[in-house]
Amino acid sequence: MLSFVDQIGNHYEILIFIIVGLISIFLVFIALKFSNKRKKLEVSLDKQIERYKEINALPIPNAINKIEELASYNSSYTSRASSYTQRYLDNMQNFSSPISELISSIKSSLNENKHEEAKTKLKDLIVSINAFEKEANSLLTDIKNDTIDEEPLMQEIDRIKKAYNECIERYQDNYNDLVLVSYKIRSLMDNIEVMIREAEENIQIGVYLETKEIVNKIDKEIDYLREYLRVMPNLINLATKVIVIELKELIEKNNIMQEDYPIHHLMPIKRIEKLKKDVEGSIEKIKVLDYDGVEPLLRDIHNNIKSLSEALDHERDCRKEYDSR
């Protein structure tokens, strides 16, 4: 019996050490578990705070400012600007302020190590932020829908300006060949410029439907302009230079041969008068940018001039052959 007590006494210090060790391990485990729980709550809170910041950073004020700016030019936007402003203020009152207070409350609970309380409040925070995010995105979407056509229309105007500037360059490069129609071309270009300015002004005041119609008109006018600039230089050169020179040479040839050669059967004067009228008619059509059927007519005139000239040459050759006998 004494031996057993002695053994206990001998191991008493070891036993105490073991017990203290186990208690220490238990306390460390509890502390770690406690610390880990707080860490998870803090991480979750930080995540929600980041979401809250992102929602507050949505460009809603700028979007509302845009509607208010439109309202200053276009009264149809006045009621919408007021409605959007009120919705934004309601969101700030119903969500933003309570969320900020709830975040502060959760931080206080964590600092006081009230983890369950903090966990419950965190669930409420998530619900509030979800609702805030939904309302904020809905408001921003509604505002953007009121100006949804603006960006595409601005891109259309940029495209039109580029196409128009290309036409201007082509006009300037071919100016000498377009003098005959420069007034009409410039009138068309002035009209295009007026419509471009009108479209830009309409976009600034939020008149999008009419702007789309104007853009369509400008596209058609630029198509006409582009086609005129493609066709007219060649037609004008053919009508006012090539054919006029050919006709002048034909008239001179006829005048020289009129008295000395038997060419009355060719009716050159009558045919020349017809050719002159056809050339003048073609030029008058070109002046008003009407080129429909003009090129085939000019080709016919060219062929008829050539045919009559060759017929006159034939008569002259026959006379030479006759005189040489």
Side-chain angles (χ1 to χ4, degrees):
M1 186 68 175
L2 290 173
S3 177
F4 178 71
V5 172
D6 291 338
Q7 289 179 0
I8 291 176
N10 293 333
H11 293 86
Y12 178 75
E13 293 181 358
I14 297 175
L15 183 60
I16 293 298
F17 179 78
I18 292 172
I19 292 171
V20 170
L22 290 173
I23 292 173
S24 299
I25 292 172
F26 177 75
L27 292 175
V28 170
F29 174 77
I30 295 298
L32 288 174
K33 185 176 181 180
F34 189 83
S35 175
N36 189 49
K37 187 173 185 178
R38 175 169 178 163
K39 185 65 177 177
K40 286 182 179 180
L41 289 171
E42 289 176 340
V43 170
S44 297
L45 178 60
D46 289 342
K47 182 179 179 181
Q48 297 309 315
I49 290 174
E50 188 62 31
R51 286 183 62 205
Y52 175 58
K53 289 180 179 178
E54 290 174 356
I55 297 169
N56 276 325
L58 290 173
I60 295 175
N62 290 339
I64 292 176
N65 287 340
K66 176 64 180 178
I67 298 297
E68 290 177 341
E69 181 183 351
L70 292 175
S72 67
Y73 300 105
N74 188 338
S75 59
S76 66
Y77 284 90
T78 302
S79 60
R80 281 176 278 183
S82 298
S83 174
Y84 293 140
T85 300
Q86 188 59 51
R87 283 174 63 183
Y88 178 70
L89 294 175
D90 289 344
N91 281 347
M92 292 299 101
Q93 181 178 350
N94 296 334
F95 295 103
S96 188
S97 296
I99 286 173
S100 296
E101 293 174 2
L102 191 52
I103 289 172
S104 296
S105 179
I106 293 172
K107 289 180 178 180
S108 296
S109 296
L110 289 174
N111 290 334
E112 296 171 6
N113 294 323
K114 297 178 180 179
H115 296 163
E116 290 302 319
E117 182 178 281
K119 184 176 181 181
T120 300
K121 292 178 180 178
L122 186 59
K123 290 180 180 179
D124 293 339
L125 178 64
I126 293 172
V127 171
S128 296
I129 289 178
N130 286 342
F132 183 35
E133 183 177 42
K134 181 179 179 181
E135 288 298 324
N137 284 329
S138 175
L139 175 57
L140 185 59
T141 298
D142 289 345
I143 297 172
K144 286 185 174 180
N145 283 339
D146 267 337
T147 57
I148 194 170
D149 291 325
E150 180 171 324
E151 185 61 29
L153 282 173
M154 289 300 296
Q155 292 176 358
E156 284 291 281
I157 295 298
D158 288 341
R159 174 186 61 79
I160 283 172
K161 283 183 174 180
K162 181 179 179 182
Y164 178 60
N165 287 334
E166 290 173 354
C167 289
I168 292 176
E169 290 179 5
R170 185 161 189 171
Y171 172 71
Q172 292 172 341
D173 291 342
N174 295 276
Y175 179 78
N176 291 334
D177 294 325
L178 291 167
V179 173
L180 188 65
V181 293
S182 61
Y183 176 78
K184 284 290 184 179
I185 293 290
R186 278 304 324 172
S187 295
L188 177 57
M189 293 169 72
D190 289 343
N191 186 46
I192 290 172
E193 290 173 7
V194 168
M195 287 193 291
I196 289 175
R197 286 196 298 271
E198 184 180 358
E200 289 178 323
E201 290 170 0
N202 280 351
I203 291 174
Q204 292 300 316
I205 62 175
V207 182
Y208 302 122
L209 183 59
E210 292 181 13
T211 305
K212 290 180 181 179
E213 296 174 356
I214 294 173
V215 166
N216 291 334
K217 290 180 182 178
I218 297 173
D219 269 330
K220 291 179 181 178
E221 293 296 290
I222 288 180
D223 285 342
Y224 291 140
L225 177 59
R226 188 183 287 116
E227 187 65 9
Y228 292 145
L229 295 174
R230 184 187 69 84
V231 172
M232 285 298 168
N234 291 332
L235 282 185
I236 292 172
N237 184 66
L238 182 60
T240 63
K241 295 180 181 178
V242 176
I243 289 180
V244 166
I245 291 173
E246 291 177 345
L247 187 57
K248 181 180 179 182
E249 291 174 348
L250 176 64
I251 292 171
E252 290 175 353
K253 182 182 293 187
N254 175 69
N255 290 340
I256 291 172
M257 297 178 64
Q258 191 69 41
E259 299 296 331
D260 299 327
Y261 293 87
I263 57 176
H264 300 290
H265 64 287
L266 297 176
M267 297 184 293
I269 295 177
K270 183 177 181 179
R271 290 169 69 180
I272 287 173
E273 287 301 316
K274 174 67 166 55
L275 290 169
K276 287 169 66 177
K277 287 182 179 180
D278 287 343
V279 172
E280 291 171 358
S282 298
I283 291 175
E284 289 304 312
K285 289 188 71 175
I286 290 172
K287 285 180 179 179
V288 294
L289 301 178
D290 179 8
Y291 59 87
D292 186 32
V294 171
E295 185 173 5
L297 177 58
L298 291 175
R299 296 299 176 190
D300 285 343
I301 293 172
H302 167 75
N303 291 334
N304 289 332
I305 291 174
K306 181 179 179 182
S307 176
L308 181 54
S309 180
E310 289 176 347
L312 292 175
D313 289 340
H314 177 71
E315 290 298 327
R316 185 171 54 195
D317 292 341
C318 288
R319 177 65 177 271
K320 285 181 180 180
E321 183 178 350
Y322 177 81
D323 292 341
S324 65
R325 292 178 182 177

